[in-house]
């Protein structure tokens, strides 16, 4: 029997009246060494529940596999939440959005161009069923009916904004029920009649998402469901950022006033986000409505708890609001954590990328370029190489464009960049002589996470021609970045020529603590500290620093590696005690 049930106007937990006061905290965006700290701070703000998505693409990286370790050790996260006295809302998808790469759908699944995502297509539902067959057994002990913290589980995610296949929603519901999920099930949709009509199920709790106009949106939910709890399952109190756009913020007083209105209406809430965390590695998503817009590495979200876990203005404002409506622990509010002293890192070892890649195995040869998807490359980069039989001035034409950003080289010299967001397909070049080597380094900047373009291909998307003549005989090479131990670094006191290169340096740490990596003078690339992939940097902003979690550091010598794709004005990086996510834009 489920622990959480509903009455005519609210919730009952084990038969007693209960209001959900929850905050979103994605375990996969937080270093596991910091989970306990973040959960404690959730409780101290007055939350009685935390919510998290489950990213299918990480938990099942290849068909038939299951990853539940390290950053993905969800059973451990659930045990820690319960130890802190918190309940948990689980949102397993299959689709999660979350500004996450491909909305959490696995690349191996969406690479099938004929599959109908998020529908009753058996190719999709069978794959999700097999995933649940693996995922749920280790999670069932953590359901509230079995003594665990999980009190509710979501069916799909904002489905009304995507489709109207009710049979599909029922399949997801029954897939959970038939595998032992007895807890309350809920759907989550934007607060309008069309979305609620397409995205809800009879007998399943309907919840809504919004960030303002509280009374209007709760009225929309009540019009759709005359009885039952009122709940905002995503109360948006900040927003996410795109590269080249503004850094979004929302004033604490404005967000707190709306939270007070919501709680005063007797509604339950899940604050999105309580703690945003970071899109480490290649995990960020992208939007694509009129143009492609990749999401930045930080997922700070202007949340009550900052990216580095410090209480911000919203933390204190929300704690005060919650205290008017529910008990708040009689303990001091948390204070900002320690930060590493300012440190300069000299990167005096270097290894050019393209010559290094030419020494590696893994080439796929084809007449025309092969997409990254067909190469089995889920993230990162692909290098394409051929020769140009002609010479002179002309246009390189990339049929279908690129996914998502291509750097073009002739005989090793950079000649231009093409970007999906600008809809680029042509590049004027001068080929010095017949037989010149053409290399194209294509970067996947994040899979679209919302709307019909989820699963859009990456890499070179069609044939390439010069002066109207197709170029054939391509070498297509994935760029391995999982282990940088074989990169042939050599001493270098200067940045030298403006070509893609790895840069390496070391720095000393006394007592490990959080810090932020600032890269003035660098252009665009990836950063690793002690092998931990911090994510993407780019001088177009708004984000100017990358968060370095204290647990990735160690006393003594530490290593910083950058993959700089263009050029740098020097060989130094800075570790600072302050995040710089860009100018604020309320």
């Amino acid at each position: 029997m489920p622990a959480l049930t509903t009455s005519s106007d609210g919730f009952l937990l084990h038969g007693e009246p209960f209001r959900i006061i929850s905050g979103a905290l994605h375990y996969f965006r937080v270093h596991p060494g910091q989970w306990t700290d973040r959960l404690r701070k959730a409780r101290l703000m007055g939350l009685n529940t935390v919510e998290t998505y489950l990213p299918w693409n990480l938990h099942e990286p290849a068909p038939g596999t299951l990853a539940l370790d390290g950053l993905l050790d969800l059973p451990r996260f659930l045990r820690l939440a319960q130890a802190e006295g918190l309940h948990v809302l689980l949102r397993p998808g299959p689709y999660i959005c979350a500004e996450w790469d491909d909305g959490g759908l696995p690349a191996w699944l969406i690479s099938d161009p004929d599959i109908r995502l998020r529908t009753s297509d058996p190719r999709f539902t069978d794959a999700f069923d097999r995933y649940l067959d693996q995922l749920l057994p280790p999670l069932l002990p953590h359901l509230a009916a079995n003594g665990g913290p999980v009190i509710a589980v979501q069916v799909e995610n904002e489905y009304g904004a995507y489709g109207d296949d009710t049979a599909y929603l029922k399949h997801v519901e029954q897939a959970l029920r038939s595998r032992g999920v007895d807890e309350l099930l809920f759907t989550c949709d934007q607060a309008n009649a069309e979305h609620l009509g397409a995205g809800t199920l009879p007998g399943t709790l309907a919840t809504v998402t919004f960030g303002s106009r509280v009374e209007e949106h709760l009225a929309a939910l009540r019009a759709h469901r005359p009885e039952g709890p009122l709940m905002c399952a995503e109360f948006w109190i900040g927003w996410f950022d795109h590269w080249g756009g503004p850094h979004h913020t929302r004033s604490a007083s404005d967000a707190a006033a709306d939270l007070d209105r919501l709680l005063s209406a007797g509604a339950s809430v899940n604050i999105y986000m309580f703690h945003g965390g970071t899109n480490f590695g290649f995990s960020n998503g992208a939007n694509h409505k009129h143009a492609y817009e990749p999401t930045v590495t930080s997922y700070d979200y202007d949340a009550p708890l900052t990216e580095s876990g410090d209480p911000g203005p919203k933390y204190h404002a929300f704690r005060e609001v919650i205290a008017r409506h529910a008990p708040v622990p009689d303990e001091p509010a948390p204070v900002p954590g320690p930060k590493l002293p300012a440190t300069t890192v000299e990167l005096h070892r270097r290894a050019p990328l393209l010559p290094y890649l030419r020494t590696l195995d893994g080439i796929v040869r084809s007449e025309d370029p092969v997409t990254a998807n067909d190469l089995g490359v889920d993230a990162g980069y692909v290098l394409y190489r051929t020769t140009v039989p002609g010479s002179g001035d002309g246009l390189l034409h990339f049929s279908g464009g690129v996914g998502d950003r291509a750097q073009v080289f002739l005989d090793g010299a950079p000649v231009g960049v093409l970007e999906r967001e600008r809809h680029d397909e042509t590049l004027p070049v001068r080929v010095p002589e017949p037989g010149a080597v053409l290399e194209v380094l294509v970067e996947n900047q994040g899979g679209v996470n919302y709307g019909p373009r989820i699963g859009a291909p990456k890499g070179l998307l069609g044939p390439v021609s010069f002066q109207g003549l197709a170029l054939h005989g391509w070498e297509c090479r994935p760029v391995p970045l999982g282990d940088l131990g074989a990169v042939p670094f050599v001493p270098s006191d200067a940045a030298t020529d403006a070509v893609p290169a790895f840069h390496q340096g070391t720095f000393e740490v006394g007592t490990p603590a959080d810090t932020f990596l600032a890269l003035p003078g660098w252009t665009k690339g990836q950063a690793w500290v002690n092998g931990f992939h911090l994510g993407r940097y780019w001088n177009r902003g708004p984000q100017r620093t990358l968060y370095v979690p204290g647990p990735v550091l160690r006393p003594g010598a530490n290593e910083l590696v950058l993959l700089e794709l263009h050029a740098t004005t020097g060989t130094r990086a800075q570790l600072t005690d302050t995040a710089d996510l860009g100018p604020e834009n309320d």
Side-chain angles (χ1 to χ4, degrees), residues 198-495:
T200 56
L201 283 172
T204 298
L205 175 70
T207 71
V208 288
T209 65
F210 57 82
S212 61
R213 307 200 313 273
V214 173
E215 294 82 5
E216 173 188 337
H217 290 126
L218 290 180
L221 176 57
R222 183 54 79 213
H224 180 74
R225 288 282 172 90
E227 288 192 347
L230 291 173
M231 181 166 179
C232 179
E234 287 187 17
F235 173 52
W236 305 319
I237 52 78
W239 208 245
F240 54 93
D241 298 338
H242 292 128
W243 290 112
H247 171 48
H248 295 86
T249 62
R250 181 181 180 185
S251 75
S253 59
D254 179 67
D258 274 341
L259 177 62
D260 194 36
R261 292 185 186 97
L262 206 163
L263 295 177
S264 296
S268 287
V269 65
N270 177 54
I271 296 164
Y272 194 98
M273 300 286 298
F274 161 68
H275 174 50
T278 308
N279 296 315
F280 292 120
F282 295 117
S283 62
N284 68 276
N287 289 95
H288 194 153
K289 190 173 183 181
H290 303 295
Y292 174 80
E293 298 178 293
T295 302
V296 303
T297 301
S298 171
Y299 201 65
D300 177 86
Y301 214 88
D302 196 34
L305 214 59
T306 68
E307 184 177 12
S308 60
D310 291 336
K314 289 190 179 80
Y315 188 96
H316 301 288
F318 285 11
R319 193 174 194 245
E320 182 179 331
V321 168
I322 292 169
R324 298 177 200 150
H325 302 274
V328 169
D330 186 18
E331 301 175 49
V335 298
K339 304 295 185 293
L340 207 66
T343 303
T344 298
V345 185
E346 301 283 354
L347 293 102
H348 283 326
R349 291 168 61 81
R350 184 174 177 274
L353 175 67
L354 301 188
Y356 165 62
L357 294 179
R358 295 177 199 132
T359 69
L360 303 180
D361 296 329
I363 294 174
V364 173
R365 291 180 170 84
S366 62
E367 276 298 286
D368 291 314
V370 178
T371 67
N373 309 64
D374 290 338
L375 291 170
V377 178
D378 302 343
Y381 305 83
V382 175
L383 179 66
Y384 298 87
R385 189 173 192 265
T386 190
T387 56
V388 183
S391 63
D393 294 329
L395 288 178
L396 274 172
H397 179 68
F398 293 78
S399 178
V402 301
D404 301 306
R405 187 176 188 271
Q407 296 171 242
V408 182
F409 305 86
L410 280 170
D411 289 335
V415 294
V417 173
L418 300 101
E419 295 185 321
R420 181 195 290 266
E421 59 191 285
R422 297 195 308 241
H423 309 285
D424 291 338
E425 291 192 4
T426 58
L427 183 69
V429 298
R430 172 170 292 178
V431 179
E433 58 186 10
V437 175
L438 171 68
E439 291 175 296
V440 186
L441 181 66
V442 184
E443 177 182 4
N444 174 348
Q445 295 192 127
V448 172
N449 54 256
Y450 186 83
R453 289 186 171 90
I454 292 173
K458 304 293 185 176
L460 292 185
L461 307 182
V464 179
S465 61
F466 175 64
Q467 296 176 331
L469 297 176
L471 303 180
H472 297 298
W474 289 84
E475 296 178 354
C476 311
R477 187 194 304 270
V479 178
L481 295 174
D483 181 1
L484 304 181
V487 175
F489 288 105
V490 296
S492 174
D493 290 328

Side-chain angles (χ1 to χ4, degrees), residues 3-346:
L4 185 69
T5 57
T6 62
S7 65
S8 61
D9 62 354
F11 292 106
L12 301 173
L13 183 62
H14 302 299
E16 298 296 325
F18 181 71
R19 191 211 301 246
I20 297 172
I21 303 179
S22 175
L25 170 57
H26 301 158
Y27 58 97
F28 49 92
R29 280 183 158 126
V30 180
H31 191 283
Q34 298 170 323
W35 288 349
T36 298
D37 173 79
R38 306 309 194 247
L39 290 164
R40 181 181 66 87
K41 289 170 178 173
R43 178 182 62 81
L44 290 179
M45 196 178 81
L47 303 183
N48 56 31
T49 305
V50 291
E51 169 269 309
T52 185
Y53 285 122
L54 280 65
W56 183 4
N57 60 346
L58 293 192
H59 283 299
E60 191 179 11
T65 63
L66 181 66
L68 281 177
D69 59 349
L71 201 70
L72 301 175
D73 192 348
L74 179 55
R76 175 175 175 262
F77 180 82
L78 297 176
R79 290 193 298 271
L80 292 174
Q82 186 169 28
E84 198 62 52
L86 294 167
H87 306 291
V88 177
L89 308 177
L90 285 186
R91 304 172 77 184
Y95 162 78
I96 64 172
C97 185
E99 291 71 60
W100 191 254
D101 187 35
D102 288 322
L105 299 178
W108 55 262
L109 179 68
I110 60 181
S111 62
D112 179 350
D114 297 321
I115 196 169
R116 291 181 293 119
L117 302 175
R118 304 176 69 193
T119 71
S120 298
D121 182 345
R123 290 168 294 186
F124 186 77
T125 55
D126 289 354
F128 185 58
D129 289 349
R130 290 191 295 270
Y131 168 56
L132 292 183
D133 286 340
Q134 299 184 90
L135 176 72
L136 288 179
L139 300 186
L140 293 179
H142 302 283
L143 301 183
N146 300 322
V150 177
I151 57 174
V153 178
Q154 182 173 289
V155 176
E156 243 282 349
N157 185 51
E158 288 192 322
Y159 188 69
Y162 181 84
D164 58 2
D165 187 344
T166 302
Y168 162 65
L169 286 183
K170 289 180 178 177
H171 180 98
V172 175
E173 177 189 35
Q174 289 306 308
L176 295 167
R177 287 288 188 227
S178 65
R179 289 166 177 82
V181 178
D182 296 328
E183 301 305 330
L184 181 74
L185 298 182
F186 67 99
T187 57
C188 171
D189 286 282
Q190 295 172 39
N192 65 61
E194 179 184 357
H195 288 193
L196 286 165
T200 56
L201 283 172
T204 298
L205 175 70
T207 71
V208 288
T209 65
F210 57 82
S212 61
R213 307 200 313 273
V214 173
E215 294 82 5
E216 173 188 337
H217 290 126
L218 290 180
L221 176 57
R222 183 54 79 213
H224 180 74
R225 288 282 172 90
E227 288 192 347
L230 291 173
M231 181 166 179
C232 179
E234 287 187 17
F235 173 52
W236 305 319
I237 52 78
W239 208 245
F240 54 93
D241 298 338
H242 292 128
W243 290 112
H247 171 48
H248 295 86
T249 62
R250 181 181 180 185
S251 75
S253 59
D254 179 67
D258 274 341
L259 177 62
D260 194 36
R261 292 185 186 97
L262 206 163
L263 295 177
S264 296
S268 287
V269 65
N270 177 54
I271 296 164
Y272 194 98
M273 300 286 298
F274 161 68
H275 174 50
T278 308
N279 296 315
F280 292 120
F282 295 117
S283 62
N284 68 276
N287 289 95
H288 194 153
K289 190 173 183 181
H290 303 295
Y292 174 80
E293 298 178 293
T295 302
V296 303
T297 301
S298 171
Y299 201 65
D300 177 86
Y301 214 88
D302 196 34
L305 214 59
T306 68
E307 184 177 12
S308 60
D310 291 336
K314 289 190 179 80
Y315 188 96
H316 301 288
F318 285 11
R319 193 174 194 245
E320 182 179 331
V321 168
I322 292 169
R324 298 177 200 150
H325 302 274
V328 169
D330 186 18
E331 301 175 49
V335 298
K339 304 295 185 293
L340 207 66
T343 303
T344 298
V345 185
E346 301 283 354

